[in-house]
Amino acid sequence: MRADKLNKNSAAYVALKKEQTNEYQAIGDGAATVAENTSIVVFTADASASSAITMPLALAGRHVKFLWQVEQATDARVLTRAASDDFVGQVNCSVEADGAGDGDVLSVTDGTVTITFPDDVNIGSEVNCYCAVDGQWIVTGHITYDAVGAIPTIA
C-alpha cells in the first residue's frame, strides 16, 4: 500500500467517508456553494438571474449529483470549480418530445473551469460529478431542453 495514495486504510479516506454522508442540499434561486458533505443537490426554484454554483473541492472518492426539480426557464446556472480544480467528461443533451432525435453532446475538455446550463432545462434533468483523482471532476449527465441549440457551454 502506498502512503501517497488514497486507500481504505488511509486516514484521509476514513475522514472523507465520514465527511460525505450522502447529504441532500436544496438550492433555490441565486448563487450557492455546494457543502463539503453534500452528494445530492436539488434545484428547487427557477434561476431568476445567472447563478454561480460553486463545487466543493474535488477529492478522490467524492461525488455530487445535481437534479432539476423545477424547470429552469428564466436564466442560466453556472457550475464553477473550487480552487484550481477542473472538469472533464460529457453531458448528453436532448430536446423534449423530439421524435427526430435532435440533440447534442457537450464535450467537457480538460482544463474546463465552468459549465453554463442555459435556461430551458426541464424537470428530471441530471448532471453527475465524480472525482477519481484529486483536483478533477468527471462530469456525466443528461439534460433535456425545450428547444434545439440550447445546450450547455464550457469555459
Side-chain angles (χ1 to χ4, degrees):
M1 231 178 276
R2 294 178 48 186
D4 64 332
K5 295 292 179 186
L6 195 62
N7 60 64
K8 290 184 180 181
N9 295 320
S10 71
Y13 179 86
V14 173
L16 178 63
K17 285 302 176 189
K18 285 182 182 177
E19 174 187 309
Q20 186 158 358
T21 56
N22 293 326
E23 293 294 323
Y24 163 88
Q25 182 176 349
I27 295 180
D29 188 13
T33 298
V34 178
E36 295 292 326
N37 65 338
T38 296
S39 61
I40 300 172
V41 172
V42 178
F43 295 120
T44 60
D46 187 14
S48 64
S50 184
S51 304
I53 307 300
T54 304
M55 293 291 291
L57 287 173
L59 299 175
R62 182 171 276 168
H63 66 278
V64 181
K65 176 187 284 265
F66 295 90
L67 297 168
W68 277 259
Q69 179 179 325
V70 298
E71 184 176 356
Q72 179 181 309
T74 308
D75 214 322
R77 292 192 194 274
V78 182
L79 198 58
T80 305
R81 71 177 181 180
S84 61
D85 297 345
D86 69 357
F87 300 98
V88 296
Q90 68 177 23
V91 177
N92 296 307
C93 305
S94 58
V95 179
E96 174 184 38
D98 188 332
D102 286 332
D104 210 336
V105 176
L106 172 70
S107 179
V108 182
T109 55
D110 192 20
T112 297
V113 298
T114 62
I115 303 172
T116 301
F117 298 96
D119 60 357
D120 288 337
V121 177
N122 285 352
I123 295 170
S125 293
E126 72 174 68
V127 171
N128 300 285
C129 298
Y130 301 97
C131 183
V133 296
D134 289 355
Q136 188 170 69
W137 290 105
I138 300 169
V139 180
T140 67
H142 188 177
I143 301 292
T144 303
Y145 288 98
D146 290 332
V148 174
I151 70 164
T153 57
I154 61 172

